C-alpha cells in the first residue's frame, strides 16, 4: 500500500542549517521510498497570518523553493507546489469552516495563547486577533484533507492541528458521506530521531535567538559563523569532552560513523578548538558546496522556479479539481444539468441507487462530465469539450448499449469513441481494484430494462 505524506513549509524566513538537518534532508530522503507518495508545499497563505511584509514573504517563497530543489527534491516523484496556486484549497477551507465548531477552534493553542496574553495585559481578550489566526486550523485541515494524506510529519506544537483536521474531516464524512468516507483521517507523525541542532550559543538553532548557521551563504559566511560557536576554555593539547560540546553535536549530524569516531578520538587527544572548527567547516562545505551552487543558480533564474512550481500545481490540481467537484456535489452545490431527477427527488430515495452522469463547467469555459457508480465512486472523468451539447452527446452515446472500447494503461483505463479518447478513469490502488471498477462501469452503462 502506498502511504501519502504531506508537509507544508511556511514562507516567512530563510532556511538555515537546523531546518536542513531537522526537516528538509529527512523529508527528501523519505520521498525517495517506493511506497511513499509525497506532497510538499509552500504554505504561503499561512505566512499571511504571521507576516504583513510582502517583500519578505515573496523572498522567502523564492528561497525556500530554491532550497528544496537544490537539496535534491525530485519533482517527478514528489508533488511540490505553492498553496496559493491551488484555488481548490481555499474553497475547501470554506466547506470545512461550515462544519467546524466554534468551540473546537476556541481550543486552538495559538488562539488561546493570544487571548491569555491579552488578559495578562488587561486588554480585550480578542485584541489583535485576526480571523486568519483564529481559523488557521481550518486552513491547515484543508491542506491535509484535500489530498487525503495518511501521515503528516509535524513538531509537537502542531499535533493539535492534525487532530483537529481529523475531527473536521470526520464531521464532514458524517454529515455528507451517506456511507462514503470522503476524507482519510490523517495521523500526526512525530519524528523523534530527527536532529535538533544547537545554534552558535548552544540553544536550539533558531532565528529567534539569532544563533543560526546559514545554509547557503558563501563559504566565508559559513566559516565565520562556525568560528563564533561557543566552546569551553580548554587549551590546545588538553582533552576535550565531545559529549558536552555543541560543536561535536553539529559535526555528528553530518559525519559518517568513521568520521565521527576519528573526530571524537582527536578531541579526546587534545585537538585545538580552532582546528576542530576548521574540521566542521570542511565537513559542511563538502556536504553543502554542490547544493549551494545549485541554490544560487536557481535564485538567479526565478522564471525557472516559477515554471517548476506551476507544473507542481497542475499535478496537484489533477487530484484537487475532480475531488472538490465531488465535495461540492455532496453538500448540494450541483449542476442543474445533473438535476433531471430533481422533480423526482423524493423518488430518488428508493432503496436501490443507480449510476449517474454529473456534468460541470470548468473555469476555462469547457465542459466535462463524470460517471459515478451507485455508491458515488468516480468511474470516469471525461475530456474537456468546447460546449455542453457535445459533452451531452458523448454521454448519451456511452449509454446507447454499443460495445465499449476500453484501453487499460497501468492502474487506469481510458474510454474511446471513434478512435478518440473521451474519458479516463482515476488511478486505482492496484490491478484488482482497476478491474473491479471496469466491471462496475459495464454494469453502469448496461441498457436498462
Amino acid at each position: 500500500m502506498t502511504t501519502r505524506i504531506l508537509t507544508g513549509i511556511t514562507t516567512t524566513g530563510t532556511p538555515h542549517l537546523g531546518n536542513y538537518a531537522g526537516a528538509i534532508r529527512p523529508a527528501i530522503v523519505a520521498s525517495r521510498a517506493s511506497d511513499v507518495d509525497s506532497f510538499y508545499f509552500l504554505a504561503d497563505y499561512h505566512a499571511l497570518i504571521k507576516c504583513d511584509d510582502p517583500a519578505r514573504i515573496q523572498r522567502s517563497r523564492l528561497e525556500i523553493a530554491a532550497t528544496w530543489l537544490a537539496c535534491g527534491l525530485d519533482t517527478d516523484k514528489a508533488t511540490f507546489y505553492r498553496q496559493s496556486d491551488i484555488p481548490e484549497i481555499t474553497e475547501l477551507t470554506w466547506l470545512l469552516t461550515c462544519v467546524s465548531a466554534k468551540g473546537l477552534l476556541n481550543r486552538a493553542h495559538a488562539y488561546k495563547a493570544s487571548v491569555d496574553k491579552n488578559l495578562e495585559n488587561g486588554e480585550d481578550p480578542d485584541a489583535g486577533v485576526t480571523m486568519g489566526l483564529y481559523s488557521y486550523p481550518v486552513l491547515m485541515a484543508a491542506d491535509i484533507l484535500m489530498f487525503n494524506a495518511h501521515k503528516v510529519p509535524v513538531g509537537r506544537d502542531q499535533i493539535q492541528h492534525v487532530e483537529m483536521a481529523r475531527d473536521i474531516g470526520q464531521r464532514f464524512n458524517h454529515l455528507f458521506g451517506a456511507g462514503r468516507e470522503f476524507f482519510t483521517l490523517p495521523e500526526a507523525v512525530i519524528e523523534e530521531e530527527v536532529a535538533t541542532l544547537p545554534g552558535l550559543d548552544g540553544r536550539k538553532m533558531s532565528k529567534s535567538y539569532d544563533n543560526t548557521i546559514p545554509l547557503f551563504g558563501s563559504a566565508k559566511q559559513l566559516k565565520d559563523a562556525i568560528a563564533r560557536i561557543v566552546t569551553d576554555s580548554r587549551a590546545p593539547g588538553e582533552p576535550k569532552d565531545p559529549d558536552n560540546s555543541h560543536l561535536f553535536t553539529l559535526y555528528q549530524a553530518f559525519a559518517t560513523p568513521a568520521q565521527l569516531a576519528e573526530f571524537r578520538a582527536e578531541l579526546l587527544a587534545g585537538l585545538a578548538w580552532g582546528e576542530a572548527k576548521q574540521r566542521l567547516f570542511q565537513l559542511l562545505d563538502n556536504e553543502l558546496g554542490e547544493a549551494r551552487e545549485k541554490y544560487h543558480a536557481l535564485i538567479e533564474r526565478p522564471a525557472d522556479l516559477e515554471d517548476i512550481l506551476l507544473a507542481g500545481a497542475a499535478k496537484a490540481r489533477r487530484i484537487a479539481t475532480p475531488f472538490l467537484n465531488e465535495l461540492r456535489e455532496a453538500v448540494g452545490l450541483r449542476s442543474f444539468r445533473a438535476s433531471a431527477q430533481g422533480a423526482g427527488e423524493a423518488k430518488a430515495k428508493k432503496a436501490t441507487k443507480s449510476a449517474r452522469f454529473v456534468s460541470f463547467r470548468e473555469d476555462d469555459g469547457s465542459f466535462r462530465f463524470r460517471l459515478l457508480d451507485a455508491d458515488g465512486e468516480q468511474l470516469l472523468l471525461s475530456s474537456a469539450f468546447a460546449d455542453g451539447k457535445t459533452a451531452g452527446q458523448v454521454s448519451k452515446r456511452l449509454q446507447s448499449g454499443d460495445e465499449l472500447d476500453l484501453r487499460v494503461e497501468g492502474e487506469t483505463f481510458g474510454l474511446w469513441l471513434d478512435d478518440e479518447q473521451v474519458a479516463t478513469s482515476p488511478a486505482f490502488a492496484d490491478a484488482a481494484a482497476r478491474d473491479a471498477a471496469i466491471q462496475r462501469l459495464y454494469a453502469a452503462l448496461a441498457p436498462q430494462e
Side-chain angles (χ1 to χ4, degrees), residues 28-301:
I28 291 174
V29 170
S31 73
R32 295 168 182 157
S34 59
D35 60 346
V36 167
D37 184 16
S38 300
F39 284 67
Y40 298 131
F41 67 96
L42 307 183
D44 46 2
Y45 276 143
H46 288 295
L48 299 178
I49 298 169
K50 305 175 183 179
C51 178
D52 57 6
D53 181 350
R56 178 181 174 184
I57 288 176
Q58 175 68 351
R59 182 66 185 178
S60 179
R61 294 161 91 220
L62 182 70
E63 291 175 341
I64 292 175
T67 296
W68 280 74
L69 294 171
C71 289
L73 181 66
D74 184 351
T75 55
D76 289 333
K77 183 169 177 56
T79 303
F80 186 52
Y81 58 96
R82 283 177 299 217
Q83 183 186 37
S84 59
D85 286 332
I86 315 296
E88 291 83 1
I89 288 175
T90 48
E91 184 169 350
L92 177 57
T93 300
W94 181 250
L95 298 185
L96 298 180
T97 297
C98 294
V99 302
S100 298
K102 181 174 182 291
L104 178 68
L105 301 184
N106 286 344
R107 297 193 291 272
H109 296 324
Y111 172 64
K112 288 177 65 177
S114 294
V115 170
D116 291 344
K117 183 177 180 180
N118 285 334
L119 293 175
E120 287 176 11
N121 296 334
E123 298 179 357
D124 181 88
D126 287 325
V129 176
T130 66
M131 284 306 297
L133 172 66
Y134 184 72
S135 59
Y136 174 98
V138 186
L139 178 57
M140 184 165 172
D143 292 325
I144 297 168
L145 297 176
M146 173 57 75
F147 298 106
N148 278 319
H150 299 100
K151 296 186 177 181
V152 184
V154 291
R156 291 196 172 277
D157 60 333
Q158 293 286 328
I159 294 176
Q160 185 195 44
H161 289 140
V162 180
E163 292 174 344
M164 293 171 85
R166 289 177 60 91
D167 291 341
I168 294 169
Q170 197 166 33
R171 176 66 174 164
F172 189 98
N173 286 343
H174 173 72
L175 290 174
F176 303 111
R180 177 183 175 187
E181 299 294 311
F182 281 106
F183 296 124
T184 298
L185 303 185
E187 174 188 348
V189 178
I190 308 301
E191 299 182 329
E192 302 287 3
E193 298 179 1
V194 166
T196 298
L197 295 189
L200 306 179
D201 57 2
R203 293 180 293 178
K204 176 183 176 182
M205 191 176 295
S206 169
K207 279 187 169 294
S208 302
Y209 301 139
D210 192 27
N211 68 352
T212 62
I213 296 176
L215 181 59
F216 289 136
S218 67
K220 183 180 185 304
Q221 288 173 318
L222 176 62
K223 193 169 189 175
D224 290 347
I226 291 172
R228 298 199 306 274
I229 295 174
V230 175
T231 56
D232 62 33
S233 59
R234 298 182 196 189
E238 288 187 72
K240 311 299 188 295
D241 180 5
D243 296 326
N244 288 298
S245 164
H246 310 315
L247 191 150
F248 182 79
T249 302
L250 285 164
Y251 193 96
Q252 184 176 29
F254 297 93
T256 65
Q259 288 172 323
L260 190 64
E262 181 181 358
F263 191 55
R264 173 185 284 275
E266 289 181 312
L267 288 172
L268 291 171
L271 182 70
W273 284 125
E275 181 59 28
K277 290 178 180 180
Q278 177 62 23
R279 300 284 177 83
L280 176 60
F281 165 72
Q282 290 172 343
L283 180 71
L284 292 178
D285 196 47
N286 288 339
E287 165 126 355
L288 301 174
E290 183 179 349
R292 182 194 301 136
E293 291 182 12
K294 292 180 180 177
Y295 171 83
H296 288 292
L298 286 165
I299 289 290
E300 293 301 317
R301 301 196 310 271

Side-chain angles (χ1 to χ4, degrees), residues 307-338:
D307 290 342
I308 291 169
L309 287 166
L310 290 178
K315 184 177 177 183
R317 293 193 70 195
R318 285 197 288 272
I319 297 171
T321 302
F323 185 44
L324 182 66
N325 286 330
E326 293 179 33
L327 300 176
R328 287 171 60 89
E329 181 176 334
V331 301
L333 305 179
R334 302 167 185 162
S335 166
F336 292 148
R337 291 189 182 87

Side-chain angles (χ1 to χ4, degrees), residues 379 411-413 426-440:
L379 296 175
E411 315 309 346
T412 67
F413 57 88
F428 297 97
D430 50 39
R434 178 203 64 209
D435 293 342
I438 290 175
Q439 293 306 311
R440 296 200 304 278

